[in-house]
Amino acid sequence: MDTNGSILKLNNIEVMYHEVILVLKGVSLQVPAQSIVAVLGANGAGKSTTLKAISGLLKHEDGAVTDGSIEFMGQRIDRKHAEEIARAGIVQVIEGRRVFEHLTVEQNLIVGAHLRGGATVKPGLERVYHYFPRLTQIRHRLAGFCSGGEQQMMVMGRALMASPKLLLLDEPSMGLAPLLIKEIFTIITQLNQREQLPILVVEQNAKLALTVASYAYVLETGRVVMDGNADQLRDNQDIKEFYLGLTDLGTRKSFRDVKHYKRRKRWLT
Amino acid sequence: MDIFLQLIITGFMVGSIYALVALGWTLIYKSSGVLNLAMGELTLIGAYVSYTFYMWKIPFPLAVVFTLIIGVILGLLTERIFLRPLIGEPTLTVIMVTVGLSFFFRGLIFLFFNTDTLVFTPPVFPSEPVRLGNVVIGQVYIWSFIAALVLLAVFVIFFQRTRWGLAIQATADDEMAALSLGVSAKFVYAAAWAIAFMAAGVGGTLLGNINGINISIGYLGLLVLPAVVIGGLNSVPGAIVGGIIIGVLQNLAGGYLDPLTIAGFKVFPGGVKDIFPYVVMTIMLLVKPYGLWGWIRIERV
Ligand SMILES: Nc1ncnc2c1ncn2[C@@H]1O[C@H](COP(=O)(O)OP(=O)(O)O)[C@@H](O)[C@H]1O
Ligand SMILES: [Mg+2]
């Protein structure tokens, strides 16, 4: 893909946990300005690890980028602390809807603006309530008592409060009802188009991700095994077989089990 | 009956001071998971610092403000020098370091002061008591109560309304999520220690006005342990209620159990007042190990 105009570049990065467990074995990917890019893959493929490597949260799980580099808007960020990276404009929404349970919805959102100063709180809240009108009614409720969908909206809104230049979303659809998932993904598209916000979204739900993303990477045991434009991947036989239309993720076979996979892969790339 | 009321009321007022110190303790525990066994010494330091300012003829309110400032400085230094290098170390190591800190602080104090009881002179609060019907309450209790309430209110507003207060709560709830938004956990830990030193400093100052200042303030400061156990270690409202309960129970024990005689013989050799809170703590740990409000995990509806 086109290497110019990318806001984020991962060049062949290797990630290790606890200095011994090698999890990413040379991952390269790019996020062009103003686009949505998806990272697909089964459980344990290394999707979350990829996002944490970018946001710097990895260092707080005793992980490190041991090889390769990560560039954000022309700056190397793989050695920087999570706070610096957040300050530079990369905000990660961690998987699992990690709300601050004992704070209200609105207080959760205000924490999102922590780095941006008091003057941004009011316009920020207005923007979040505009995209997530459902949060307006429950603004004074304790976050721990909200439903899963509301919590997902809250963590996304909270990230928005930080005025990100790049948003990292980790499995926003996880455990939500189909209608809600649709709503969430509609909002993801809106955020991308109206705010010109580049988004890197990780999903196990490939079908859904490929409808909003323009480009996607497929990750398997720490390697990118396939990448391409979203419509290309949607028509790809292997993707169809193994990711689309399958809801039970655990029973999926590996790409490596497909005999013709290697041949096809060469075709694609 | 009047005695009973009087014990309850003064117990409540002293309890508000314990509540203040307990809040500081809980804050450190909530945000960084450190069980701080040096809280009594923090209280002790506060008492000596404000006493020193007061003896330099600085008006009492100003002396309290200076004590708060010194508290912030000492809190930041303590966190930076002793606690930060231990982030990620086993819990027991960190606890032992706080025990070490308690001896260190106590040693430091007795480098500068001797062990005699010191008294704020001239007395800060008027000595004639206030009468409410037949109940008699020393003014020092009333003023301490007011001061403790004011500071508790300031802390509550700080936590609910300010950027840093919310950041501290957020880190206590989910450190990783807070970090993803750029909230520095290190700064939060440091802030927690600074606030704990402030709370303990004012607590020590008030206790020093009631009882005079000597090493026993340190033991009074340690009463936060039963208080926070009753409240549930990680609950701020729990710490406040726990502190007040301990104050009341302690007073009642002192008023009724200590002088208790059966057939002319004293039942207890004395000092029940001092150990009673720990007895309550032990019972609490046996029947309700998570305290009144501890570890309430919010279940989603
Ligand atoms: N903190 C950690 N320490 C050690 N291993 C980890 C850690 N986090 C993840 N892993 C391992 O790294 C691999 C990839 O995990 P992850 O990135 O969470 O996958 P995904 O998000 O694709 O499900 C898994 O095998 C997992 O066990
Ligand atoms: Mg994951």
Side-chain angles (χ1 to χ4, degrees):
Chain A
M1 91 193 279
D2 175 28
T3 48
N4 299 319
S6 287
I7 185 167
L8 180 79
K9 287 182 205 168
L10 272 65
N11 304 315
N12 215 12
I13 63 161
E14 211 175 77
V15 166
M16 258 199 241
Y17 284 111
H18 315 294
E19 294 179 353
V20 284
I21 311 169
L22 183 65
V23 171
L24 295 190
K25 303 153 187 167
V27 168
S28 297
L29 63 79
Q30 308 206 0
V31 180
Q34 303 184 13
S35 71
I36 300 181
V37 172
V39 176
L40 313 174
N43 220 347
K47 304 181 300 296
S48 299
T49 302
T50 306
L51 292 193
K52 284 181 206 154
I54 299 166
S55 65
L57 292 178
L58 196 62
K59 299 177 190 78
H60 296 266
E61 295 193 345
D62 197 16
V65 179
T66 49
D67 201 4
S69 66
I70 303 176
E71 282 171 46
F72 176 59
M73 307 205 305
Q75 296 253 338
R76 264 192 82 157
I77 55 166
D78 45 282
R79 297 282 155 72
K80 291 194 171 162
H81 292 290
E83 300 144 48
E84 288 176 88
I85 296 173
R87 202 178 287 277
I90 299 182
V91 178
Q92 177 178 2
V93 178
I94 308 171
E95 76 188 304
R97 303 193 277 278
R98 305 266 289 263
V99 298
F100 304 125
E101 292 188 333
H102 298 92
L103 297 184
T104 65
V105 172
E106 189 152 296
Q107 286 174 330
N108 264 268
L109 297 177
I110 294 172
V111 174
H114 182 77
L115 288 177
R116 304 292 173 229
T120 66
V121 169
K122 211 163 161 270
L125 286 174
E126 267 166 31
R127 182 160 77 143
V128 170
Y129 291 139
H130 167 73
Y131 284 105
F132 303 96
R134 211 189 268 229
L135 294 183
T136 322
Q137 290 125 41
I138 54 164
R139 63 211 289 177
H140 298 304
R141 191 179 296 173
L142 274 192
F145 290 121
C146 294
S147 72
E150 289 160 351
Q151 292 187 338
Q152 184 59 43
M153 294 179 187
M154 202 186 314
V155 291
M156 284 170 58
R158 196 172 68 186
L160 203 56
M161 292 291 289
S163 317
K165 297 197 179 84
L166 170 66
L167 187 62
L168 311 177
L169 291 177
D170 200 345
E171 307 215 24
S173 77
M174 198 208 282
L176 295 182
L179 264 181
L180 262 172
I181 296 181
K182 228 180 137 205
E183 192 177 336
I184 299 267
F185 272 77
T186 308
I187 298 171
I188 292 176
T189 314
Q190 286 174 352
L191 285 176
N192 171 249
Q193 287 171 356
R194 297 192 198 154
E195 306 282 331
Q196 266 96 53
L197 178 61
I199 298 174
L200 181 59
V201 58
V202 155
E203 262 301 334
Q204 291 197 33
N205 189 332
K207 193 175 180 175
L208 202 62
L210 289 176
T211 56
V212 299
S214 55
Y215 201 88
Y217 295 82
V218 179
L219 216 59
E220 199 174 285
T221 55
R223 286 196 175 85
V224 174
V225 292
M226 184 182 290
D227 66 321
N229 289 324
D231 37 7
Q232 237 175 326
L233 288 184
R234 260 199 306 269
D235 297 334
N236 181 279
Q237 198 54 43
D238 295 332
I239 294 272
K240 268 189 189 159
E241 216 170 306
F242 296 105
Y243 285 90
L244 304 182
L246 285 178
T247 46
D248 188 3
L249 299 159
T251 60
R252 187 180 294 134
K253 278 191 290 178
S254 162
F255 266 119
R256 299 190 187 289
D257 299 338
V258 188
K259 276 186 194 141
H260 307 298
Y261 163 64
K262 283 227 155 82
R263 184 163 52 83
R264 280 216 196 100
K265 191 194 165 203
R266 242 175 270 129
W267 265 67
L268 269 166
T269 50
Chain B
M1 193 61 205
D2 291 339
I3 298 278
F4 178 73
L5 260 183
Q6 187 162 326
L7 288 173
I8 297 258
I9 292 173
T10 50
F12 197 93
M13 291 174 167
V14 175
S16 68
I17 305 175
Y18 299 155
L20 196 57
V21 183
L23 177 141
W25 189 96
T26 298
L27 197 58
I28 292 178
Y29 181 73
K30 248 171 91 89
S31 62
S32 67
V34 172
L35 259 153
N36 175 19
L37 293 183
M39 204 64 193
E41 279 67 28
L42 267 56
T43 318
L44 199 56
I45 290 176
Y48 278 102
V49 168
S50 62
Y51 171 83
T52 307
F53 283 126
Y54 189 64
M55 295 322 269
W56 287 346
K57 305 271 184 279
I58 291 168
F60 184 71
L62 210 55
V64 172
V65 171
F66 287 164
T67 306
L68 288 171
I69 295 170
I70 298 274
V72 170
I73 296 169
L74 288 178
L76 296 180
L77 282 178
T78 304
E79 194 276 337
R80 189 72 193 78
I81 298 172
F82 299 104
L83 277 308
R84 182 142 338 151
L86 294 173
I87 290 177
E89 294 293 324
T91 316
L92 197 60
T93 313
V94 182
I95 292 177
M96 290 321 289
V97 167
T98 67
V99 172
L101 266 180
S102 74
F103 287 109
F104 173 69
F105 286 146
R106 210 179 297 173
L108 214 56
I109 286 166
F110 292 114
L111 214 60
F112 296 108
F113 302 91
N114 58 28
T115 49
D116 298 342
T117 299
L118 303 174
V119 180
F120 284 83
T121 34
V124 176
F125 304 111
S127 56
E128 77 257 32
V130 173
R131 286 175 187 281
L132 299 164
N134 287 329
V135 180
V136 183
I137 303 163
Q139 285 205 33
V140 63
Y141 288 99
I142 295 172
W143 287 108
S144 296
F145 180 58
I146 292 171
L149 278 195
V150 167
L151 203 58
L152 283 172
V154 168
F155 281 141
V156 168
I157 291 168
F158 170 76
F159 288 127
Q160 293 297 318
R161 292 287 154 84
T162 69
R163 170 165 168 262
W164 274 109
L166 288 174
I168 290 173
Q169 289 199 73
T171 299
D173 259 358
D174 190 329
E175 195 173 310
M176 188 71 121
L179 193 61
S180 74
L181 300 163
V183 176
S184 156
K186 285 175 192 154
F187 199 102
V188 167
Y189 298 167
W193 276 89
I195 293 171
F197 258 92
M198 286 200 285
V202 172
T205 304
L206 299 175
L207 289 172
N209 271 289
I210 294 174
N211 295 325
I213 302 169
N214 57 35
I215 193 76
S216 71
I217 300 252
Y219 303 127
L220 287 174
L222 256 197
L223 281 177
V224 295
L225 285 185
V228 296
V229 165
I230 286 179
L233 297 181
N234 61 352
S235 160
V236 166
I240 293 172
V241 175
I244 288 170
I245 290 177
I246 288 298
V248 172
L249 287 179
Q250 199 190 23
N251 246 13
L252 290 178
Y256 290 110
L257 294 182
D258 261 339
L260 191 66
T261 54
I262 293 177
F265 293 99
K266 271 187 79 104
V267 176
F268 300 104
V272 180
K273 183 176 177 170
D274 298 324
I275 47 168
F276 195 65
Y278 295 97
V279 174
V280 174
M281 171 171 96
T282 311
I283 295 171
M284 193 72 188
L285 282 172
L286 289 174
V287 293
K288 213 165 178 296
Y290 299 114
L292 296 176
W293 285 277
W295 298 113
I296 298 178
R297 285 282 113 197
I298 293 177
E299 296 294 332
R300 254 197 290 119
V301 277

